[in-house]
Amino acid sequence: MLKLIRYEFRKNRTLLLVVLGVIAALEAYFLFRAHASARLNAINNLSEAANSAEVHLIVAMSLLVFASFGTALAVFIMGVAGYSRELNQKTSYLVFMTPQSTLSIVGAKLLFTLITGVGFAGLLAAFAALDFPMMLDSLGREWVGYYNMLDWFMTENDLNLTGALMTIAFFVCVVFLSIIATVSIAYLAITLSATFMRGRKGHALVSVLLFLLLSWGNSRLTSLFFNADSYLSLSDAAGLMRVLTPQLLLDAAILALSVLACAWMLKKRVDL
Amino acid sequence: MLEINHVTKRYGRKNAVDDLSLRLESGRLVALLGPNGSGKTTLMKMIAALASPTAGSITLDGVPVGLKTKAQVAYMPTEAYFFGYMSARDAGKYYRDFFSDFDMDKYLAALEREHLDPKGKIRTMSSGMVAKVKLALTFARGSRLVMLDEPLNGIDIVARERTLEAIQENRGEGRTMIVSSHLVDELETMIDDAVFIKDGALVAAGDAKALREKHGMSIVDMYMKIYGEGAALNA
């Protein structure tokens, strides 16, 4: 499966480099604006030039925030479009003629999407950690440091360090699992469409409609297990996990079922 | 030995392959003959485990075709099937990574013999050059069953000659080779067996020499009679 994942990265290298390039360009723009703002603030923080530089700095930060959402969308599209392309183009021969199980093929594509998503999320989080104090500094405000911020967060929510880290880690897991479960639902929709509408007009539209239908079904199912009226408080880490665990388990079950269903259909039903 | 037992493949209401049974011995060069749309490609895809039969079974040395047999079957599709980024060398590396029977040195030597630059991007190559790359990849594998789907299509007369030579060079040694084509005259002199398919059904099959003697005509004439005149061969 590792070889398949490696080839997923190779196939998507251009798009990955484009996304990386956009993020790097926006980060460079932010750094340039932060430097300019800090320089002008040091000379005269009430000047028109300093105010203008601050506006540019906030715009640069906003662009980075938008880029984060754009990156998440790009990774989702990359993962889903790659799978759809594999089933509908002749390159599918290259993948499916190899002695690799269909489970490995689907799993490799999902893992590629997950690794790419985690990688970009890590990069953007690192930039945010670097940029946030720099922005406050450039705007002439005091940066108290991440330790103090965490300390404030824990005090406000009556958490200890372990509790805070567990809560954050748990949230990150829930979010990533939820995203990857959504990608697996998209795979299931594409595979179902390829199975029953092969070569027919409108099978792409059917894939989209199936995805929407399955996603709606998933949300209905989630609502049965997850009570939105439950009292959620960061100060009750154990309670929070108790409330979110069914969601986590449901996403894991949907992910497993979707992958197994895709692998089975690819093996038994889909014709290339 | 390849055994095809009452295989049917249905697409919608149409039978692309219709209750076809066939037994191919090891080490033979087999021509799979029929006009476009007769079911040759569908049959090959099912043997390569890229499509599943609606009914019937296919076994290679007693093993049902699937994941296990993919390692022993070298299938060359008629279309270009490479990833956009791939150079000829990249395609070789891909085969080396996934097929344990792939010989990179043999592949690179074949490219050199055909004056193909391993660094050349496949997507920028002419159809004749792509055909050579596909052939070099397929023959660089040590597979026991090789299937070439329309290897003579879309290439010039020189490339056609080279392809036929490559088929001759790589036959034998216990390797069964199935070559599908509707260009029968080129294959006539070199094949061991001929299989005629029409509308997905088997019309005639067997040792090429025996077929010629039995029907008193060449394979080309049999082809003309079956597909041109629409007549049945004498039993």
Side-chain angles (χ1 to χ4, degrees), chain B residues 208-221:
Chain B
K209 196 177 165 190
L211 281 172
R212 285 187 203 104
E213 285 171 5
K214 182 179 176 185
H215 298 288
M217 61 179 89
S218 67
I219 298 293
V220 174
D221 290 337

Side-chain angles (χ1 to χ4, degrees), chain B residues 135-207:
Chain B
L135 215 57
L137 283 167
T138 307
F139 285 139
R141 287 188 60 192
S143 317
R144 297 185 44 240
L145 177 62
V146 173
M147 293 191 292
L148 310 176
D149 193 3
E150 302 282 5
L152 307 174
N153 265 15
I155 54 175
D156 64 36
I157 194 162
V158 178
R160 200 174 282 183
E161 279 304 308
R162 287 293 306 124
T163 302
L164 292 169
E165 281 171 29
I167 291 171
Q168 282 285 28
E169 284 163 16
N170 289 280
R171 65 186 293 185
E173 294 171 13
R175 168 186 272 181
T176 306
M177 200 183 296
I178 304 175
V179 183
S180 85
S181 185
H182 54 269
L183 304 167
V184 198
D185 43 348
E186 278 96 341
L187 296 173
E188 168 94 54
T189 56
M190 57 196 289
I191 55 172
D192 299 314
D193 296 322
V195 176
F196 293 90
I197 300 181
K198 188 178 181 183
D199 298 330
L202 189 70
V203 178
D207 180 90

Side-chain angles (χ1 to χ4, degrees), chain A:
Chain A
M1 195 195 274
L2 284 175
K3 282 182 199 167
L4 287 168
I5 295 172
R6 186 156 58 86
Y7 276 98
E8 287 300 320
F9 276 102
R10 186 65 188 81
K11 276 187 277 182
N12 291 287
R13 191 172 69 174
T14 308
L15 194 52
L16 290 171
L17 287 174
V18 168
V19 175
L20 266 179
V22 170
I23 293 171
L26 289 175
E27 177 64 14
Y29 177 62
F30 172 83
L31 292 175
F32 169 72
R33 285 297 171 193
H35 176 70
S37 180
R39 188 169 49 81
L40 289 167
N41 269 326
I43 297 167
N44 180 0
N45 64 357
L46 295 175
S47 68
E48 199 173 308
N51 286 338
S52 172
E54 282 185 5
V55 170
H56 279 295
L57 180 64
I58 291 165
V59 168
M61 182 48 107
S62 304
L63 285 174
L64 270 171
V65 172
F66 281 126
S68 305
F69 289 113
T71 303
L73 191 65
V75 170
F76 180 81
I77 290 171
M78 208 184 309
V80 174
Y83 183 71
S84 174
R85 199 169 49 233
E86 215 78 286
L87 289 192
N88 294 301
Q89 291 185 356
K90 297 301 173 194
T91 52
S92 60
Y93 292 142
L94 207 50
V95 178
F96 287 94
M97 69 164 64
T98 61
Q100 299 283 323
S101 68
T102 51
L103 193 60
S104 298
I105 293 169
V106 177
K109 288 188 182 301
L110 269 176
L111 278 173
F112 158 74
T113 310
L114 181 65
I115 293 166
T116 307
V118 170
F120 276 125
L123 180 72
L124 287 163
F127 279 153
L130 179 78
D131 295 348
F132 191 52
M134 199 182 290
M135 189 174 79
L136 287 182
D137 189 43
S138 300
L139 295 176
R141 273 150 227 168
E142 192 192 353
W143 167 240
V144 292
Y146 284 108
Y147 177 79
N148 287 340
M149 200 167 75
L150 188 66
D151 192 41
W152 171 84
F153 176 77
M154 290 191 298
T155 311
E156 280 290 304
N157 294 290
D158 195 22
L159 287 170
N160 57 27
L161 182 64
T162 312
L165 291 177
M166 275 179 69
T167 305
I168 292 166
F170 193 69
F171 261 126
V172 169
C173 287
V174 169
V175 168
F176 275 104
L177 191 64
S178 178
I179 291 170
I180 212 71
T182 307
V183 174
S184 76
I185 289 172
Y187 281 15
L188 185 61
I190 291 165
T191 315
L192 279 167
S193 158
T195 304
F196 297 107
M197 290 202 60
R198 183 104 193 131
R200 291 189 206 164
K201 272 186 184 173
H203 79 272
L205 180 65
V206 171
S207 296
V208 175
L209 292 174
L210 271 173
F211 171 66
L212 294 174
L213 186 71
L214 290 168
S215 298
W216 176 79
N218 181 32
S219 68
R220 295 292 301 163
L221 202 59
T222 305
S223 67
L224 291 177
F225 292 96
F226 179 77
N227 185 0
D229 297 329
S230 299
Y231 174 68
L232 290 177
S233 168
L234 290 172
S235 60
D236 181 13
L240 190 73
M241 286 184 195
R242 216 169 27 247
V243 172
L244 286 178
T245 296
Q247 163 86 49
L248 192 79
L249 293 176
L250 184 65
D251 280 336
I254 283 167
L255 174 65
L257 284 174
S258 299
V259 169
L260 288 173
C262 286
W264 183 82
M265 278 191 281
L266 285 172
K267 189 178 175 188
K268 298 284 182 190
R269 306 282 302 178
V270 175
D271 299 319
L272 301 172

Side-chain angles (χ1 to χ4, degrees), chain B residues 129-140:
Chain B
M129 290 159 86
V130 175
K132 287 174 182 174
V133 172
K134 287 194 296 178
L135 215 57
L137 283 167
T138 307
F139 285 139

Side-chain angles (χ1 to χ4, degrees), chain B:
Chain B
M1 184 204 311
L2 180 70
E3 280 198 81
I4 300 164
N5 297 308
H6 299 288
V7 163
T8 295
K9 180 68 192 178
R10 194 173 298 122
Y11 290 114
R13 291 176 187 170
K14 188 180 183 297
N15 280 356
V17 173
D18 191 6
D19 194 28
L20 193 145
S21 293
L22 192 62
R23 183 187 163 103
L24 299 176
E25 298 297 331
S26 301
R28 309 281 286 178
L29 174 55
V30 183
L32 187 58
L33 304 170
N36 292 329
S38 56
K40 303 187 298 290
T41 298
T42 305
L43 181 61
M44 282 189 160
K45 282 184 190 174
M46 286 191 287
I47 297 169
L50 295 171
S52 310
T54 310
S57 65
I58 304 173
T59 58
L60 182 65
D61 292 330
V63 180
V65 294
L67 190 58
K68 280 183 187 167
T69 59
K70 278 183 181 179
Q72 297 167 34
V73 176
Y75 172 56
M76 190 191 91
T78 192
E79 307 93 345
Y81 53 92
F82 303 100
F83 299 133
Y85 77 84
M86 278 185 162
S87 66
R89 187 187 294 278
D90 289 330
K93 284 180 183 169
Y94 185 91
Y95 268 59
R96 186 186 60 193
D97 282 345
F98 288 105
F99 299 109
S100 58
D101 59 4
F102 184 75
D103 184 340
M104 191 69 170
D105 293 335
K106 187 178 177 184
Y107 170 64
L108 291 175
L111 290 184
E112 196 179 346
R113 205 165 45 244
E114 298 295 342
H115 309 294
L116 288 169
D117 179 9
K119 291 178 196 155
K121 291 275 180 197
I122 298 176
R123 68 165 185 263
T124 64
M125 291 180 178
S126 68
S127 55
M129 290 159 86
V130 175
K132 287 174 182 174
V133 172
K134 287 194 296 178
L135 215 57
L137 283 167
T138 307
F139 285 139
R141 287 188 60 192
S143 317
R144 297 185 44 240
L145 177 62
V146 173
M147 293 191 292
L148 310 176
D149 193 3
E150 302 282 5
L152 307 174
N153 265 15
I155 54 175
D156 64 36
I157 194 162
V158 178
R160 200 174 282 183
E161 279 304 308
R162 287 293 306 124
T163 302
L164 292 169
E165 281 171 29
I167 291 171
Q168 282 285 28
E169 284 163 16
N170 289 280
R171 65 186 293 185
E173 294 171 13
R175 168 186 272 181
T176 306
M177 200 183 296
I178 304 175
V179 183
S180 85
S181 185
H182 54 269
L183 304 167
V184 198
D185 43 348
E186 278 96 341
L187 296 173
E188 168 94 54
T189 56
M190 57 196 289
I191 55 172
D192 299 314
D193 296 322
V195 176
F196 293 90
I197 300 181
K198 188 178 181 183
D199 298 330
L202 189 70
V203 178
D207 180 90
K209 196 177 165 190
L211 281 172
R212 285 187 203 104
E213 285 171 5
K214 182 179 176 185
H215 298 288
M217 61 179 89
S218 67
I219 298 293
V220 174
D221 290 337
M222 274 183 254
Y223 189 96
M224 292 301 290
K225 188 167 183 181
I226 295 167
Y227 305 111
E229 300 165 21
L233 292 171
N234 295 330

